[in-house]
Amino acid sequence: MTHREASIALRRFGLGPRRGDLARIAGDPRGYVLAAIGNRQGAIVEDAELEPSHLSFLALRTAQRDQRTARNMLLEVGKDAAAPGAKSPPGSEAAKPDTLKPVAPTSIGDGSAKPGEIRREVFREEIRARLERAVTTDQPFLERLVYFWSNHFCVSVIKGPLVRVMAGAFEREAIRPHVLGRFGDMLKAVEQHPAMLVYLDNAQSIGPNSPAGRNRGKGLNENLAREILELHTLGVAGGYTQADVTNFASIITGWSVADPQLAAGVAGNPRLAAKFGGEDLVPGRFVFTPNRHEPGALTVLGKRYEDRGIRTGEDVLGDLARHPSTARHIAMKLARHFVADNPPAELVDRLAKTFRSTDGDLAAVARALATSPECWAVAPRKVVPPHDFVVSLIRAFDLKMRPPEAIRIAAAIGQPLWGPPSPKGWPDDDDAWMGPAAVRERLRIAERVARDVDRKLDPRAVATDLFGDALSDAARLAIERAEAREQGFELLVMSPEFLRR
Amino acid sequence: MTACKEAHLISRRSILGGAVSLSLWGALPRRSHAGSRDPRLLTVILRGGLDGLWLASPTGDPDLERLRGRFAMTRSGESAGLPLDAFFVLNPAMPYFHGLYQKREALIVHAVATPYRERSHFDGQDVLESGLPSVGRVEDGWLNRAVSGLAVEAKANPGGLAKASPKGLAMGAVVPLVMRGPASVLTWIPQTFGIPLRESTIARLTDLYAETDPGLAKAFADGIALDKVATAGGTAGVPSKLPTPAPPQPPLVREFVDTAEAAARFLGSADGPRIGVLSYNGWDTHANAGAIKGQLANRLGGLDAAIKAFAEGIGPAWKDTVVVIVTEFGRTARINGTEGTDHGTATAALIMGGGVKGGRVVADWPGLSEKALHQARDLRPTRDLRSVLKGVLRDHIGIPDRALAEVVFPSSGSVIALDGLIA
């Protein structure tokens, strides 16, 4: 039996084999991939240790404010000390000890944590859950779809602490529930998620002619609107203009994140509540703030939208999700990601057609991808990105690597989790991850992990278990002739079959 | 798509065809005195679109304050910049660069832009790095083609630049477009683990890749080679640090400085690469830009520390070194609704080094009045960035005009190299 298709199923559509996988799926590799698509809720992560994004947001904001208050107190004390004879008035705000108490206790920490502690604790739990799923899943195609969409709609922790505490939750809340759902639903969930609204600055964008804009002399920020058009939907050549960007940015003014103090302020005051998004504001959740929304009808891509408040922006998103340029853009990205640069035109056409005819049913698109003959014909080309490389090491050799260590190694060779350099996400061309120093460091990583592989294992047997006859004769021979057991594992890890998919 | 691919293949052939390149490089007289020196060039790309008006601010322009309001830089007071001339001030976060400027080892070219006139970061960076007049081809970059030229030259004049490595240097795990292409590229990242690689494993992998995977063969060989350049200087793999512990720095500054120090070490070594690139991210200041105090000031401070680390790290070779700092586009002249600026057009570029004719701001200043702004929005470009880059490549590296116009920056015959940047 040939293992070529089984190896493609485990690598092109997966995160690399664990021992035993190849033999287990060899009878029906395509069925193995398709079975994952049948598991509609399979990508969702439920984990008691993980917080929803709004609670992490709230905990961080609270801690930041407490820290500022404490710092201001110290400054006050410093001033007093510097001015002899000056006394702190007994009732002064800064001196009140109860201002140090958190406004709203949350389940994160005991309410007295510093911002840095909250950041680290939330991030540690998120990477633990993500890694656990990656190394244990029997349906890795679902994870690959999550990573694809999470990268397509990326946020980046580079932005700062708020995105850092929400990045993992963003993926769980806006991406995972929709990877086999509708593109339009994922689009809306993403663009209304606090992490995205903070990352691309829309949380602060204000309509120049809105009440807030007129009062405060503040205004538009076109960052999110531009990236929705350029990166998330139509693509850069998708046929929009600067005027479309500006108008769309105006339409989504008021799409923001409920501030804890604002929520406290409007509670019990219906008039204020109406201006700021309703009485049931949940701090840290998406809110539409009429007070910041640009009034009036506006045109995007030649279509005039009457102002319907929050609905206007949702209508534009709906139209963008159905736009033929979006179908084409997504189809091209999927084909490049799962197959190769310059993918076969027939494949891209088929994916785009499926996307359009099913109104963006991503399960149908995933099925079209997994049943396309091109995906099973093209030889492995793409260098496995650092994160997936580390995951594939853990899977292949059953390593007991701690999640922070795994994440640190992937970061060292270029891919910190949820930390892409820009809203465009990680590069995806075949050789993007073949920078010479990074390839060399993969060998160093291989040397490091080879020491941790179970001493009872023989590299020749493991190579056969993981790849069967999909490993080249040259690689097999090199492993057989290795001068030591560790070197055998190093050569296996560094073989083209392990490094490309 | 097929048509696209074919067009691409044709252009690639005509641009990179060995015979064409060779004749353009070898047969033409050299204009510069590069042959008597050993020139180094470091290009720094600031990704995200650096706001040129906050880097070097035209306080002499009557419209500046109207556009930037209380975020305008001034000549005195709390928002004071460092004086450059009667018209411009430098962001106060950059005292080291200012010192170079005063020593006439640094200059600023203002109101420059690539030929790109849309506002996508990613297309903008593609145009900046590919060196082409428009968006489209993203296979190789102008810096790599310049390195290819040096390789041709090294073969033609074995006594000249041959002692230097005809390879490019890219700092980071991923080779940026500007340095992708036919010439070999060395890359640098900090070591993952402090363990030496075994020669026997290296040899076996080299054999395996030679038989099975040319791409990996090249990358692996280059990766190992740079380990050796670094080792030749003393410490295995990692550029040596100064013996005295540096004062504690914020993580951002440390990251900037570490990369710059390593670049200095490689470009400064006798048999190392001569042309390098590094990128710094995070210049996309849409909100709360903090140009005087805040995020942009912190980044510019990091950049200034990196310039210092590089200039001091490269040592005596600084006299033969030019550093060029560029970005994909500038930002809106007017402040936006969130105390930042959105994607714009023209911006500033920084050039420095021992061989630079510095101490001046080179600008054909377009003005900031409503009428003067590009699309009533952005600083209007009055100079093509390629003319600046050509001026450096010709007068510092010694690449002839014709090769610049046809190979390094294809179809750029009408963009004349800027004279007088290099002493």
Side-chain angles (χ1 to χ4, degrees):
Chain A
M1 180 187 295
T2 167
H3 296 107
R4 208 182 59 84
E5 286 209 353
S7 194
I8 285 177
L10 292 166
R11 303 184 54 75
R12 172 161 295 154
F13 291 110
L15 290 165
R18 296 165 303 179
R19 276 186 292 128
D21 280 350
L22 191 80
R24 193 162 56 82
I25 73 155
D28 183 13
R30 299 189 188 204
Y32 168 72
V33 175
L34 290 174
I37 302 172
N39 187 4
R40 288 275 168 155
Q41 306 296 312
I44 292 174
V45 165
E46 273 164 6
D47 187 309
E49 298 302 314
L50 301 179
E51 298 290 342
S53 56
H54 70 279
L55 289 186
S56 299
F57 177 99
L58 182 59
L60 182 70
R61 265 293 161 81
T62 307
Q64 285 174 331
R65 211 185 48 218
D66 291 347
Q67 195 177 51
R68 268 198 298 276
T69 312
R71 202 175 287 150
N72 289 342
M73 274 180 68
L74 286 176
L75 284 176
E76 288 295 323
V77 171
K79 265 190 222 157
D80 293 345
K87 272 186 196 161
S88 182
S92 79
E93 277 298 307
K96 274 189 191 164
D98 60 345
T99 54
L100 281 176
K101 282 186 191 156
V103 256
T106 76
S107 49
I108 301 167
D110 60 0
S112 64
K114 293 194 176 71
E117 291 165 5
I118 289 171
R119 249 179 9 240
R120 281 189 294 274
E121 185 182 329
V122 170
F123 207 66
R124 190 169 53 235
E125 290 302 323
E126 290 287 353
I127 63 176
R128 175 195 54 74
R130 184 132 172 324
L131 256 290
E132 265 176 25
R133 172 62 62 93
V135 302
T136 59
T137 180
D138 284 324
Q139 295 182 323
F141 185 43
L142 295 180
E143 283 309 283
R144 290 290 305 284
L145 290 172
V146 169
Y147 300 173
F148 172 82
W149 288 111
S150 188
N151 190 52
H152 177 77
F153 288 118
C154 71
V155 297
S156 179
V157 301
I158 294 173
K159 181 76 171 184
L162 274 178
V163 175
R164 179 171 285 270
V165 297
M166 291 192 288
F170 167 77
E171 186 177 282
R172 289 184 290 112
E173 293 164 358
I175 304 292
R176 288 185 180 273
H178 304 292
V179 293
L180 295 175
R182 296 218 166 265
F183 177 77
D185 293 341
M186 191 191 293
L187 181 65
K188 183 172 167 230
V190 162
E191 312 305 355
Q192 294 187 341
H193 195 283
M196 184 61 80
L197 293 166
V198 170
Y199 178 47
L200 293 179
D201 303 314
N202 208 74
Q204 306 182 49
S205 185
I206 295 176
N209 299 304
S210 68
R214 286 199 307 270
N215 287 344
R216 291 158 56 186
K218 294 202 160 190
L220 216 54
N221 184 310
E222 60 184 43
N223 202 7
L224 178 62
R226 177 184 303 282
E227 304 307 11
I228 290 175
L229 295 170
E230 176 181 335
L231 300 175
H232 298 172
T233 61
L234 305 178
V236 69
Y240 60 91
T241 64
Q242 174 62 41
D244 290 325
V245 172
T246 310
N247 288 349
F248 185 28
S250 294
I251 287 173
I252 56 172
T253 45
W255 289 30
S256 190
V257 187
D259 182 81
Q261 276 159 313
L262 183 71
V266 303
N269 185 336
R271 203 179 57 81
L272 267 185
K275 274 171 78 175
F276 291 103
E279 273 197 81
D280 48 354
L281 278 186
V282 180
R285 283 237 173 105
F286 171 72
V287 65
F288 176 72
T289 312
N291 201 46
R292 293 176 160 200
H293 180 66
E294 179 74 2
L298 285 162
T299 300
V300 177
L301 297 173
K303 180 171 167 183
R304 190 180 150 90
Y305 294 85
E306 297 303 327
D307 185 13
R308 303 203 295 144
I310 184 176
R311 295 291 302 278
T312 329
E314 294 178 343
D315 289 346
V316 176
L317 285 185
D319 289 338
L320 290 172
R322 282 185 292 272
H323 197 286
S325 294
T326 301
R328 188 93 204 146
H329 181 210
I330 300 297
M332 186 69 189
K333 271 190 85 166
L334 273 168
R336 284 192 63 165
H337 180 76
F338 282 97
V339 184
D341 295 350
N342 304 314
E346 301 76 18
L347 173 63
V348 180
D349 289 343
R350 194 179 310 122
L351 296 177
K353 211 175 136 203
T354 306
F355 189 99
R356 290 183 66 182
S357 66
T358 63
D359 194 20
D361 178 347
L362 297 181
V365 174
R367 193 173 298 111
L369 180 75
T371 52
S372 285
E374 296 87 352
C375 295
W376 300 91
V378 177
R381 277 275 323 131
K382 303 195 82 73
V383 175
V384 179
H387 174 83
D388 295 6
F389 171 70
V390 175
V391 168
S392 72
L393 285 174
I394 300 174
R395 286 174 69 94
F397 305 110
D398 197 18
L399 301 173
K400 304 286 174 261
M401 192 185 286
R402 290 169 45 254
E405 171 84 343
I407 296 305
R408 191 187 69 75
I409 293 174
I413 53 173
Q415 204 181 25
L417 183 58
W418 296 313
S422 80
K424 196 178 180 181
W426 297 111
D428 201 25
D429 40 309
D430 295 350
D431 292 340
W433 298 108
M434 218 158 56
V439 170
R440 181 196 67 222
E441 289 308 306
R442 286 192 192 208
L443 174 57
R444 215 164 240 126
I445 294 162
E447 283 202 11
R448 179 70 186 70
V449 305
R451 304 173 188 177
D452 293 341
V453 178
D454 184 346
R455 299 207 60 85
K456 293 191 290 292
L457 293 175
D458 181 302
R460 291 164 297 188
V462 173
T464 302
D465 185 315
L466 297 177
F467 288 94
D469 59 18
L471 196 66
S472 73
D473 290 341
R476 183 178 313 283
L477 208 60
I479 294 165
E480 275 170 18
R481 291 178 182 168
E483 64 187 9
R485 180 182 155 276
E486 282 83 4
Q487 191 180 56
F489 286 118
E490 290 159 24
L491 294 171
L492 175 59
V493 168
M494 293 302 285
S495 68
E497 288 78 8
F498 203 100
L499 294 181
R500 294 188 191 268
R501 67 185 180 196
Chain B
M1 201 178 55
T2 317
C4 211
K5 196 177 169 195
E6 273 164 17
H8 152 67
L9 286 175
I10 291 162
S11 65
R12 186 183 167 94
R13 254 198 305 279
S14 64
I15 289 168
L16 298 169
V20 182
S21 310
L22 193 75
S23 71
L24 285 175
W25 249 278
L28 292 166
R30 305 175 61 105
R31 269 186 57 131
S32 80
H33 43 236
S36 61
R37 299 181 298 146
D38 186 3
R40 273 86 164 174
L41 174 64
L42 176 70
T43 300
V44 177
I45 298 180
L46 306 181
R47 293 178 193 277
L50 171 69
D51 190 313
L53 295 177
W54 270 326
L55 174 70
S57 212
T59 50
D61 192 303
D63 288 291
L64 181 69
E65 214 179 308
R66 179 177 61 81
L67 293 163
R68 292 286 163 109
R70 64 191 173 93
F71 302 101
M73 221 177 286
T74 51
R75 292 199 83 85
S76 59
E78 275 197 11
S79 303
L82 306 168
L84 293 169
D85 58 22
F87 195 78
F88 290 101
V89 298
L90 177 71
N91 190 294
M94 303 193 70
Y96 185 80
F97 180 82
H98 191 248
L100 292 178
Y101 182 94
Q102 287 175 319
K103 280 196 287 179
R104 300 180 180 274
E105 291 185 358
L107 64 89
I108 296 171
V109 188
H110 220 316
V112 287
T114 72
Y116 180 69
R117 288 294 172 275
E118 303 298 318
R119 295 189 181 87
S120 152
H121 288 301
F122 316 110
D123 278 358
Q125 288 171 25
D126 282 353
V127 172
L128 169 67
E129 296 182 66
S130 70
L132 294 182
S134 59
V135 184
R137 206 171 56 104
V138 289
E139 299 299 310
D140 43 56
W142 58 266
L143 210 44
N144 189 287
R145 296 195 293 272
V147 176
S148 303
L150 288 188
V152 172
E153 175 122 336
K155 229 179 254 173
N157 304 310
L161 291 160
K163 64 178 182 242
S165 164
K167 288 182 176 179
L169 172 72
M171 309 303 287
V174 176
V175 179
L177 173 59
V178 72
M179 195 51 111
R180 269 187 254 153
S184 275
V185 179
L186 307 170
T187 66
W188 177 84
I189 56 173
Q191 267 189 19
T192 49
F193 296 101
I195 47 179
L197 296 174
R198 274 194 293 263
E199 283 298 336
S200 123
T201 314
I202 292 172
R204 283 157 198 252
L205 277 176
T206 303
D207 290 347
L208 175 61
Y209 295 154
E211 200 174 328
T212 57
D213 196 316
L216 278 171
K218 183 165 178 277
F220 187 67
D222 286 343
I224 296 298
L226 196 63
D227 244 11
K228 289 186 177 146
V229 171
T231 314
T235 347
V238 194
S240 66
K241 296 271 178 189
L242 297 173
T244 45
Q249 295 161 320
L252 170 88
V253 176
R254 202 165 53 230
E255 186 193 316
F256 278 27
V257 165
D258 283 353
T259 315
E261 270 177 0
R265 189 165 154 76
F266 295 126
L267 293 179
S269 80
D271 54 355
R274 286 295 175 264
I275 297 188
V277 62
L278 62 86
S279 302
Y280 292 133
N281 297 320
W283 306 91
D284 193 20
T285 47
H286 281 278
N288 310 318
I292 309 292
K293 202 178 162 193
Q295 50 161 333
L296 182 54
N298 293 342
R299 288 212 170 251
L300 289 172
L303 181 64
D304 198 54
I307 294 169
K308 180 169 190 273
F310 181 82
E312 292 177 351
I314 203 165
W318 176 250
K319 69 176 174 21
D320 290 341
T321 297
V322 171
V323 180
V324 181
I325 303 183
V326 293
T327 186
E328 71 261 27
F329 48 54
R331 311 191 69 83
T332 47
R334 197 174 289 105
I335 201 128
N336 71 8
T338 55
E339 303 183 357
T341 47
D342 290 319
H343 303 182
T345 310
T347 183
L350 304 179
I351 301 176
M352 68 218 77
V356 165
K357 227 164 68 198
R360 62 214 166 101
V361 179
V362 179
D364 178 4
W365 190 248
L368 294 173
S369 70
E370 279 307 294
K371 261 172 56 189
L373 294 179
H374 173 65
Q375 298 178 350
R377 169 186 164 115
D378 309 333
L379 177 62
R380 178 183 301 281
T382 54
R383 194 182 306 279
D384 191 316
L385 182 61
R386 290 173 298 173
S387 78
V388 179
L389 300 171
K390 280 179 158 188
V392 171
L393 289 174
R394 183 191 62 191
D395 297 341
H396 181 57
I397 303 291
I399 301 178
D401 275 318
R402 217 183 119 204
L404 288 172
E406 294 175 25
V407 181
V408 179
F409 297 101
S411 322
S412 70
S414 60
V415 181
I416 307 300
L418 182 57
D419 280 325
L421 294 173
I422 308 300

